Amino acid sequence: MSDYLIKKYAGLTPYVPGEQPRDRVFIKLNTNESPFPPSPGVAAAVEKEAGNLALYSDPECTDLRAALAAKLGVKAENLLMTNGSDEILYFAFSAFADRERPLVFPDVTYGFYKVLAGLIGVPYTEMPTDETLAVRPEDYAGGRRTVVLANPNAPTGLSLPLSTIGDIVKNNDGVVIVDEAYIAFGGESALPLVEKYDNLIVTRTFSKSRSMAGARLGFAVANEALIRDMNALKYAQNPYNVNRMTAAAGIAAIREDGYYLGNCARIRETREKTAAALTELGFTVLPSDTNFLFIKRHGLDGAGYYAALRDKGILVRHFDTARLKSHVRVTIGTSGQMTRFLEATKEIIKEKEV
Ligand code: PMP
């Protein structure tokens, strides 16, 4: 810390992203990226757009929003395009949460919510998940609060049904943000509720199901007034938040959606096969609606298993917190990568004689 850092940030605890090692080639199952490359049109669109980089990007993302609106069956006015979906969270927390409408989210969820609440200086409450790590819906209904729910949730992979999400939105006086980063892999989307409720924001990302984590593209779907409020924040912070190449990549990806839907189906199939094989090996595997599995096994501590996999060239994610430390989170890769992961796991069980 320098002598110049202001007091407000002295205690800031930053988010710790998953490792992106450069020293060695790993099978990377640690950051929920897609194991498949973007569709062919994406590379071509990026190359073409590179020639226009002397010009600022379109702050309204007009073409991208038009393409996405047509795909989703919403109006362009219902969409806000952002630099990854993390950026929507920043705009939404800043715009809709304060002391009078504090944030509430589960104690087991995407770690960034807490970090962002700390950065913005908004009070928050972490609602305990139950003994199966499932979100308890009754904790989120009623009151003047800003609710954030990842559905499906991370790192558990569990999801709440649409009817439950609807009840939470209906019975809350504050904004409800439903983070659908993983919705392409399972669960029920809250998108059909956006027309009905003026306090619902659905967030999505091109990072996982659309193989574009490195491009940074996310979006919010919400009623026009909420979008306008978040846009005000965006124009006050970074009007050109989506760069030209990313916007072009997004449009190309939307045109080639069939390719991505095929990949998602493959990932779901591989997920179910991997889950069955792990269960066979004695693991407890939470039922997942995402592109990852949250797993634990008697006699295998999470940190030790993570380290043993790393030694064998496979990266997974371990969270060193009281409720999560016995688990590891494993992103679903290609079926070949998962075969290798299962082989390594068998070796570790044997080596540790557990
Ligand atoms: N929400 C959840 C639940 C996530 O796991 C992630 C990925 N870390 C994000 C949002 C953010 O994704 P991105 O900013 O890449 O769109």
Side-chain angles (χ1 to χ4, degrees), residues 41-345:
V42 167
V46 167
E47 201 179 326
K48 187 158 165 247
E49 197 57 34
N52 294 327
L53 284 183
L55 305 174
Y56 281 109
S57 58
D58 169 15
E60 291 293 315
C61 293
T62 313
D63 296 340
L64 176 55
R65 279 197 306 147
L68 192 56
K71 183 99 219 153
L72 299 175
V74 299
K75 286 188 286 178
E77 291 75 22
N78 296 120
L79 292 174
L80 173 69
M81 307 307 303
T82 53
N83 188 311
S85 61
D86 280 344
E87 195 182 40
I88 309 163
L89 301 172
Y90 177 72
F91 295 151
F93 287 16
S94 306
F96 307 118
D98 64 5
R99 223 159 267 291
E100 272 142 51
R101 266 170 306 197
L103 289 162
V104 271
F105 44 79
D107 63 343
V108 174
T109 192
Y110 182 30
F112 198 61
Y113 303 154
K114 199 153 84 169
V115 172
L116 208 48
L119 172 74
I120 300 169
V122 180
Y124 61 88
T125 308
E126 295 172 271
M127 295 293 180
T129 43
D130 71 14
E131 61 291 346
T132 67
L133 299 181
V135 168
R136 299 175 347 147
E138 61 274 22
D139 290 343
Y140 301 88
R144 201 173 146 79
R145 298 167 310 177
T146 305
V147 172
V148 195
L149 289 172
N151 197 44
N153 198 13
T156 59
L158 303 171
S159 65
L160 294 172
L162 180 60
S163 56
T164 305
I165 294 286
D167 286 343
I168 292 171
V169 178
K170 189 165 72 188
N171 296 314
N172 210 293
D173 283 341
V175 165
V176 177
I177 302 162
V178 180
D179 178 345
E180 295 192 349
Y182 298 102
I183 197 71
F185 305 104
E188 292 178 282
S189 173
L191 223 53
L193 302 181
V194 164
E195 237 183 303
K196 201 162 160 196
Y197 298 111
D198 66 2
N199 63 332
L200 170 64
I201 300 173
V202 175
T203 74
R204 296 233 187 132
T205 179
F206 280 66
S207 292
K208 290 121 201 316
S209 58
R210 269 64 185 179
S211 302
M212 278 174 50
R216 312 305 301 127
L217 185 61
F219 62 95
V221 190
N223 133 302
E224 283 180 48
L226 293 182
I227 296 288
R228 270 201 303 274
D229 291 343
M230 289 190 283
N231 243 321
L233 264 292
K234 166 185 136 147
Y235 276 88
Q237 204 244 353
N238 185 10
Y240 307 106
N241 62 336
V242 177
N243 73 66
R244 279 184 168 273
M245 290 189 293
T246 295
I251 293 169
I254 292 164
R255 284 200 192 115
E256 297 178 327
D257 208 35
Y259 164 83
Y260 297 101
L261 297 180
N263 287 347
C264 292
R266 279 201 270 173
I267 287 170
R268 284 197 300 271
E269 196 185 317
T270 308
R271 176 186 74 204
E272 294 313 308
K273 281 190 185 149
T274 309
L278 285 166
T279 307
E280 191 80 1
L281 290 173
F283 280 84
T284 304
V285 183
L286 289 186
S288 170
D289 276 326
T290 60
N291 66 338
F292 54 83
L293 293 170
F294 203 49
I295 62 172
K296 67 173 180 180
R297 188 182 185 278
H298 259 301
L300 206 57
D301 84 286
Y305 179 37
Y306 156 84
L309 283 170
R310 198 177 198 287
D311 283 347
K312 292 179 188 292
I314 298 172
L315 277 186
V316 297
R317 190 89 202 253
H318 177 249
F319 299 93
D320 196 12
T321 65
R323 291 199 74 190
L324 305 183
K325 65 176 187 231
S326 53
H327 289 76
V328 301
R329 190 194 69 191
V330 185
T331 304
I332 303 300
T334 60
S335 88
Q337 288 175 325
M338 299 324 280
T339 303
R340 184 63 209 106
F341 157 76
L342 287 168
E343 279 165 10
T345 295

